[in-house]
Amino acid sequence: MNYAVIGDPISHSLSPIMHNANFKSLDMQDSYEALHVRKEDFHNIRNIIEDKHIVGFNVTIPHKESIIQYLDEIDDQSKAVGAVNTVKIVDNKWIGYNTDGIGYVSGLKQIYPDLANAYILILGAGGASKGIANELNKIVQPKLTIANRTMSRFESWDMNFNAISLDQAEQYLDEFDIIINTTSAGLDNNDDTVIKLDNLSSSTLVSDIIYIPYKTKLLKEAELKGNVIHNGLDMFINQGAESFKIWTGKQPNLKEMKNTVLSKLQGV
Ligand code: ATR
């Protein structure tokens, strides 16, 4: 069977090596490729995918929202987030899923087992934040707190949470067990940090959904203070693992997926 990830840019995607290593370790003959699909060609997406006999694919920037109009069905998580990162094709029917939030949360649960009772602060209010918040809301009892630079971004959110400003987040930082950065501050080694960590409690877990760089400035600052830190690598691995389960109904070889990506990251 053929699988793919579509995006623009796409050449640096680690999804093909991760999925192909998993297929190989499970003795599966399937293959997974990166497909460069530009916005101007996107109207042709059904033909592009069907010509290659692809039965399942991942969707990344900038197509996670625009894919929805080409789908026959989407699951509840995709509806809540307004974005799809996984498509399964069955009998010519295209079904959309979003595995980013569950991917992140299953990784977090492993390093913070008592997630149900955690006081959590999420920084950012984009698609990634919404997906994670929606998944956390299913299992976390205390109300989530979400901080963003632009408060008007919360107006369209249909969810139960405390909305605060970044200034308030800095001020009340010591009240949280877990802080999750979903903003793009720190991506690609830009030197922005979304908030100052002066009021960080030493027992707070500081997490960032970014994994390139492996430690953002925020994570480095938290680590210097002695806090436990967690980057976005598990989210990446687990979203891929969840997609694989949707496509095949099988259990993936998570260890192989992680080791393959880790060795590639160490090589760059
Ligand atoms: P995604 O869908 O990947 O989550 P997005 O929708 O572009 O990405 O959202 C990016 C998030 O990062 C937003 O919350 C954005 O804040 P605004 O809503 O105020 O734009 C946040 N963000 C990006 N750069 C930031 C910076 N330098 N400081 C603070 N917040 C930042």
Side-chain angles (χ1 to χ4, degrees):
M1 301 282 189
N2 298 337
Y3 299 90
V5 56
I6 59 166
D8 180 19
I10 200 65
S11 62
H12 295 298
S13 171
L14 296 172
S15 288
I17 61 152
M18 173 172 80
H19 281 283
N20 286 323
N22 179 48
F23 291 149
K24 200 170 164 200
S25 79
L26 298 176
D27 272 334
M28 295 171 69
Q29 305 306 311
D30 310 58
S31 68
Y32 186 112
E33 65 178 313
L35 275 182
H36 186 198
V37 180
R38 292 187 180 85
K39 271 189 181 168
E40 56 267 34
D41 299 325
F42 205 73
H43 61 278
N44 222 2
I45 190 64
R46 288 205 60 137
N47 291 333
I48 296 172
I49 294 293
E50 279 158 17
D51 284 352
K52 290 189 161 270
H53 305 290
I54 285 166
V55 296
F57 61 97
N58 288 123
V59 186
T60 189
I61 290 166
H63 305 312
K64 286 188 183 186
E65 285 113 25
S66 41
I67 188 69
I68 292 176
Q69 60 186 300
Y70 299 95
L71 303 177
D72 298 299
E73 259 176 45
I74 61 170
D75 76 341
D76 287 345
Q77 175 72 2
S78 307
K79 272 184 207 147
V81 181
V84 158
N85 81 327
T86 304
V87 177
K88 179 179 183 174
I89 305 174
V90 192
D91 297 334
N92 219 24
K93 196 165 148 195
W94 287 33
I95 309 163
Y97 304 83
N98 194 316
T99 65
D100 287 331
I102 186 75
Y104 177 79
V105 172
S106 55
L108 188 64
K109 227 187 284 176
Q110 294 207 313
I111 58 158
Y112 200 100
D114 192 22
L115 205 50
N117 295 306
Y119 283 82
I120 301 179
L121 168 66
I122 300 177
L123 305 170
S129 166
K130 210 175 207 174
I132 290 169
N134 199 50
E135 287 295 344
L136 285 174
N137 255 340
K138 295 177 191 168
I139 52 172
V140 177
Q141 278 142 26
K143 207 194 266 192
L144 293 175
T145 301
I146 309 180
N148 200 43
R149 182 174 60 183
T150 313
M151 296 304 281
S152 59
R153 204 114 187 223
F154 292 121
E155 282 164 14
S156 62
W157 283 51
D158 180 20
M159 213 185 274
N160 191 19
F161 63 97
N162 304 308
I164 63 171
S165 67
L166 293 178
D167 282 348
Q168 287 169 312
E170 285 179 347
Q171 194 179 342
Y172 302 116
L173 207 56
D174 64 345
E175 294 184 9
F176 299 98
D177 300 312
I178 303 174
I179 295 164
I180 305 166
N181 177 41
T182 71
T183 75
S184 38
L187 191 64
D188 294 331
N189 275 321
N190 81 36
D191 245 3
D192 284 355
T193 43
V194 59
I195 53 167
K196 291 195 196 77
L197 297 182
D198 298 348
N199 294 330
L200 185 69
S201 153
S202 61
S203 60
T204 299
L205 169 70
V206 180
S207 175
D208 200 317
I209 66 166
I210 296 170
Y211 63 98
I212 300 173
Y214 206 67
K215 289 178 192 170
T216 55
K217 197 169 165 217
L218 181 83
L219 291 190
K220 280 185 188 156
E221 281 178 19
E223 190 177 43
L224 264 178
K225 283 173 166 280
N227 288 63
V228 176
I229 60 168
H230 173 237
N231 74 3
L233 183 63
D234 288 337
M235 177 182 184
F236 174 66
I237 309 292
N238 289 323
Q239 63 74 32
E242 294 296 326
S243 298
F244 175 79
K245 286 193 226 167
I246 288 169
W247 294 325
T248 66
K250 295 185 179 150
Q251 286 304 315
N253 184 341
L254 270 172
K255 215 169 164 184
E256 181 69 19
M257 291 169 81
K258 188 162 183 171
N259 286 342
T260 304
V261 174
L262 264 177
S263 56
K264 183 75 184 177
L265 286 175
Q266 276 152 9
V268 286

